[in-house]
Amino acid sequence: MERKAIVLNSKDNVATALTDLSAGDTIELAVDDKPVSVKLLNPVQFGHKFSLIDIKAGSPILKYGEVIGEASMDITPGEHVHVHNVASTRGRGDVTAGARK
Amino acid sequence: MSFWGYPRPDGLVGTRNHVAIVPTVVCATATARQVSDNVRGSVPFLHQQGCALTPSDLEMANRTLTNLALNPNIASVVLISLGCDPIDIDGIAEKIAASGKPVEKFVIQEVGGTIATTEKATRVARQMVSDASRINREQFDDSKLMFGAECGGSDTTSGLGANPAIGAAFDILVKQGGRAVFSETTEFIGAEHLLARRAVTPEVGQQIIDFVRRYEERFLEKGVDMRGTNPTKGNIQGGLTTIEEKSLGAISKGGTEPIEEIYEYGERPTRAGLSIADGPGFDAPSLTAMAAAGATVMFFSTGRGTPLGTPFVPVIKVTANGPSYEKMKDNIDFYVDLTRKEHIAEIGAELYAEALQVASGRQTKSEILGQDRDNGLFLVGPLA
């Protein structure tokens, strides 16, 4: 069976789509050889990410087992995870400039 | 394993045998292009900088042009300046000559205009190509190679497949005793702790952290949000959400071996093994940094597809994005099949074998299509 998505590290709370996926698709994944099943709430394009679990606003997003940013709002399992609900915490001159004002 | 390369007087080994036509300043760039157009076997370094530089940018430009000319893929060098430009053409020529490499310099304001300079420089370049063509390739151990690695037009597949495959090829060369360099300090942000952990000493680890902090502070000082600039709009369309995510994928092109040293833009490593050259994520000046560091074969991963090569050094384009590969096969040399992700070491060995062929003379697509004449020099600014 062709793999539809990949989880790169067992700590990760997101998976990456390896093909274009549609809302309503049920994606079967293996995390540490344990089967995980997620039903997608949104379409997720090739190369984009979706959530595996509930992620509260302000919590870290984990990929490669490392922090890639934090949730800017609550995220539910199967939701598209991208710039609309994740904020970078680095190189944010706009934030430090705001703090200085 | 071995490859067929060109021996140089300083003991280094080239994979190409170019005569380099190097303008010191944009005012001499058109002349350099015309000389190179006249002389098959010569390659120009077409750039748009070289004047109105701050003292630190001037120092960086001087050492970058010097070390670029010292790259062993270059047999001999023609330098062309305007005359009133601040680049130290005499100092650069002296250092090239000290390495045993033939070098000639022309100053447009002294020679008397571009037509006269083009004529004189063409005659010299013609003789240099004739002389260089008498140097034969010889067989060398692959530890005499130096790899470079770039990623550009990145998307999620870069971090999943293309960069890890390049990293696996890096690991093979470094284990053989060869040299390898990667760059793009911007794209260490969020992953610098992983690089620092691989440094040979705690001091080198701290230097890596400090170089990344210096880079990030340039954005913080300007009060700008890096998002949209890096990751770029194209990166974001490709699924990369933050610089941290991009960085974590980007650093895998450096492999897993210990990091011996990190140095300033335009400098060369002082020892064998894996090193980092400071530089921007912007592809062109980053490729220049690695050419100046001495890389003789480069890998360039791309998710969305980019045609860019670089003067003097063959660039092997690598993608793990199937649709991009199909669309841009004319420009991309090597495809990494993500469904074989478990076999990344094997794919890295295939890429390594291709790199040895390229080192021995096989032309890459960016060379064949002439994407190897234009490039840039990095500058921090401000321009005066």
Side-chain angles (χ1 to χ4, degrees), chain A:
Chain A
M1 189 197 78
E2 199 181 332
R3 205 161 41 165
K4 289 185 174 164
I6 188 168
V7 180
L8 293 166
N9 187 290
S10 57
K11 287 186 208 157
D12 292 0
N13 51 18
V14 293
T16 304
L18 293 179
T19 181
D20 288 340
L21 303 173
S22 308
D25 284 358
T26 299
I27 310 300
E28 309 287 345
L29 293 152
V31 183
D32 266 356
D33 293 329
K34 275 175 256 162
V36 176
S37 173
V38 184
K39 190 170 182 187
L40 295 185
L41 301 176
N42 321 99
V44 180
Q45 273 182 54
F46 170 65
H48 287 233
K49 298 173 290 298
F50 57 89
S51 174
L52 298 171
I53 57 171
D54 273 309
I55 306 171
K56 293 281 163 218
S59 305
I61 309 294
L62 297 163
K63 182 183 170 188
Y64 301 104
E66 298 286 334
V67 178
I68 64 161
E70 60 183 39
S72 55
M73 58 181 77
D74 290 345
I75 302 172
T76 53
E79 214 176 316
H80 183 212
V81 174
H82 204 18
V83 288
H84 61 286
N85 53 15
V86 179
S88 173
T89 59
R90 301 292 300 271
R92 294 295 300 275
D94 57 329
V95 174
T96 47
R100 271 190 223 121
K101 274 173 201 163

Side-chain angles (χ1 to χ4, degrees), chain B residues 129-350:
Chain B
V129 169
S130 177
D131 294 343
S133 68
R134 286 183 209 137
I135 307 169
N136 289 319
R137 284 189 185 266
E138 295 172 20
Q139 198 164 15
F140 290 97
D141 189 79
D142 45 2
S143 62
K144 287 285 191 182
L145 280 174
M146 181 162 170
F147 284 166
E150 177 69 23
C151 53
S154 297
D155 68 8
T156 310
T157 65
S158 305
L160 291 182
N163 289 332
I166 292 168
F170 259 44
D171 284 350
I172 296 171
L173 182 63
V174 172
K175 284 197 182 99
Q176 305 272 345
R179 294 179 181 222
V181 58
F182 63 115
S183 181
E184 304 187 274
T185 312
T186 337
E187 292 163 13
F188 300 159
I189 294 174
E192 63 270 56
H193 57 296
L194 302 175
L195 293 175
R197 234 180 262 163
R198 281 167 49 205
V200 286
T201 63
E203 290 73 27
V204 172
Q206 188 56 48
Q207 282 176 341
I208 293 172
I209 302 284
D210 292 345
F211 268 85
V212 175
R213 182 175 303 139
R214 183 177 71 175
Y215 221 106
E216 188 174 8
E217 273 168 6
R218 289 178 191 149
F219 286 91
L220 302 183
E221 278 164 15
K222 293 214 180 311
V224 293
D225 182 353
M226 222 167 82
R227 292 176 302 176
T229 305
N230 206 341
T232 64
K233 277 181 192 163
N235 295 153
I236 291 170
Q237 282 163 8
L240 291 173
T241 305
T242 62
I243 185 64
E244 298 95 305
E245 181 181 13
K246 187 176 174 184
S247 296
L248 289 161
I251 62 161
S252 59
K253 68 183 180 286
T256 58
E257 290 292 305
I259 296 164
E260 300 284 337
E261 57 184 324
I262 180 166
Y263 39 86
E264 295 286 350
Y265 186 94
E267 288 185 336
R268 302 210 283 182
T270 58
R271 48 215 274 192
L274 180 63
S275 65
I276 296 173
D278 184 40
F282 181 25
D283 303 331
S286 167
L287 290 164
T288 299
M290 293 185 288
T296 52
V297 173
M298 292 201 219
F299 303 103
F300 190 146
S301 82
T302 179
R304 303 185 58 86
T306 158
L308 190 70
T310 200
F312 319 125
V313 186
V315 175
I316 301 171
K317 285 283 160 58
V318 181
T319 192
N321 184 320
S324 293
Y325 182 62
E326 285 306 318
K327 266 191 218 158
M328 289 196 49
K329 248 184 192 163
D330 287 342
N331 301 99
I332 299 172
D333 299 277
F334 192 93
Y335 175 56
V336 176
D337 183 354
L338 277 181
T339 62
R340 287 176 66 208
K341 171 130 179 77
E342 290 76 9
H343 309 286
I344 205 75
E346 210 174 285
I347 298 169
E350 291 164 17

Side-chain angles (χ1 to χ4, degrees), chain B residues 111-122:
Chain B
V111 175
T114 61
I115 296 175
T117 305
T118 302
E119 184 196 342
K120 287 194 169 168
T122 296

